[in-house]
Amino acid sequence: MQLIDTSFSVPLLNQCELLLCHFYPQRWDANTPKQYQIDVPQYLLEKAVDKRLAEYVAGRHLAKTLLQKLNIGAQVERDEKTRAPIWPQGIVGSISHSKGIAACAVQWQTKIAGIGIDIEHWTPAKTAASISKEVWLPEEQHLLNHIDWSFEQALTVVFSAKEALYKALHPQVGKFFGFKAARLCLQSGDSKSGSLCFELTEHLHTAVPKGAVFKLAYFCSDDWVVTGIELEHK
């Protein structure tokens, strides 16, 4: 039995194809990397559990598929210290996974300055209640009251969007920043798809000042939400 199902695309981004796939960690075995021709670092093979190894191969499999469409044969390596993907020169990309589903998007750096994507399954009610104060302010929640989402779904969408924004900005900012560094200020669309605008509440970098606004897209299925942003060149 194969670890990874057939990949599929979701209409989320303007200049990048967003590719997703379902995968099954319980199907992992020692031959899986060879089957998908993915080089897994030896330290991961020695220390990581099967679930983590399955996530790694699924994400890199999507990245490899998208890079081949750009006529790039190189694989995406991994920074052992930060655990972040190391993309081939001239490429920007982002990988995410959640409970048996992986997502990836890549593009030439000449076309976009950066990219961040995130996929999350809907947060359980108990978990949502416990983390809500860390993720958003009351006024952010109120901006989403008109959408046909439960409290848990609205929180998950904002959580995911802020994660995607972090992934896009971190290579430029070079430091950690939390959920409260960005505040939801505008929403458009419906419960299935649309966009969210976030205003920075902190000065993160000379090129990423307080007050800067970033627009992210979201797409919802019955079980999960995927969010993403493409950073334009200035």
Side-chain angles (χ1 to χ4, degrees):
M1 300 178 71
Q2 293 192 335
L3 176 79
I4 302 170
D5 275 350
T6 303
S7 58
F8 59 97
S9 297
V10 164
L12 184 78
L13 304 169
N14 294 321
Q15 300 190 63
C16 305
E17 179 183 3
L18 177 64
L19 200 61
L20 297 87
C21 69
H22 292 281
F23 65 95
Y24 306 91
Q26 67 272 21
R27 297 179 183 176
W28 170 271
D29 62 41
N31 293 319
T32 298
K34 183 177 180 180
Q35 179 184 2
Y36 291 97
Q37 298 183 327
I38 300 296
D39 295 329
V40 181
Q42 188 61 35
Y43 68 88
L44 268 185
L45 291 172
E46 293 173 354
K47 297 180 179 180
V49 298
D50 289 356
K51 174 180 177 292
R52 179 69 192 95
L53 293 168
E55 292 172 346
Y56 186 93
V57 169
R60 264 56 182 187
H61 171 71
L62 293 177
K64 180 181 178 182
T65 301
L66 290 171
L67 288 171
Q68 287 175 341
K69 293 184 178 184
L70 299 179
N71 295 317
I72 297 176
Q75 293 198 31
V76 180
E77 299 181 5
R78 183 180 192 261
D79 187 306
E80 185 174 355
K81 183 177 180 180
T82 66
R83 299 185 296 178
I86 301 175
W87 297 95
Q89 187 173 1
I91 291 293
V92 291
S94 187
I95 297 173
S96 184
H97 38 71
S98 172
K99 299 177 184 177
I101 187 167
C104 180
V106 304
Q107 187 51 278
W108 291 107
Q109 198 168 17
T110 54
K111 292 189 176 182
I112 57 174
I115 185 172
I117 64 166
D118 184 75
I119 189 165
E120 303 286 342
H121 280 79
W122 298 121
T123 307
K126 186 175 181 179
T127 303
S130 67
I131 67 172
S132 62
K133 291 183 179 179
E134 301 175 17
V135 175
W136 62 10
L137 299 170
E139 55 264 34
E140 294 180 273
Q141 179 186 349
H142 295 159
L143 283 173
L144 302 177
N145 283 344
H146 67 287
I147 304 181
D148 187 23
W149 282 333
S150 65
F151 171 82
E152 296 82 16
Q153 288 175 315
L155 181 79
T156 307
V157 172
V158 172
F159 177 97
S160 178
K162 291 187 177 184
E163 285 282 343
L165 182 60
Y166 179 88
K167 290 181 179 180
L169 294 180
H170 185 264
Q172 187 174 23
V173 173
K175 65 179 181 180
F176 171 80
F177 58 92
F179 290 108
K180 298 294 180 64
R183 177 184 63 86
L184 178 66
C185 58
L186 184 66
Q187 181 276 335
S188 63
D190 53 32
S191 61
K192 182 69 174 179
S193 63
S195 64
L196 304 170
C197 289
F198 290 88
E199 179 182 1
L200 296 186
T201 61
E202 301 176 12
H203 180 87
L204 300 179
H205 188 271
T206 53
V208 191
K210 179 179 179 179
V213 176
F214 297 91
K215 185 178 182 180
L216 291 93
Y218 66 85
F219 178 91
C220 302
S221 80
D222 292 340
D223 302 314
W224 44 262
V225 58
V226 61
T227 57
I229 179 173
E230 296 164 317
L231 297 179
E232 298 180 354
H233 287 288
K234 295 183 179 179

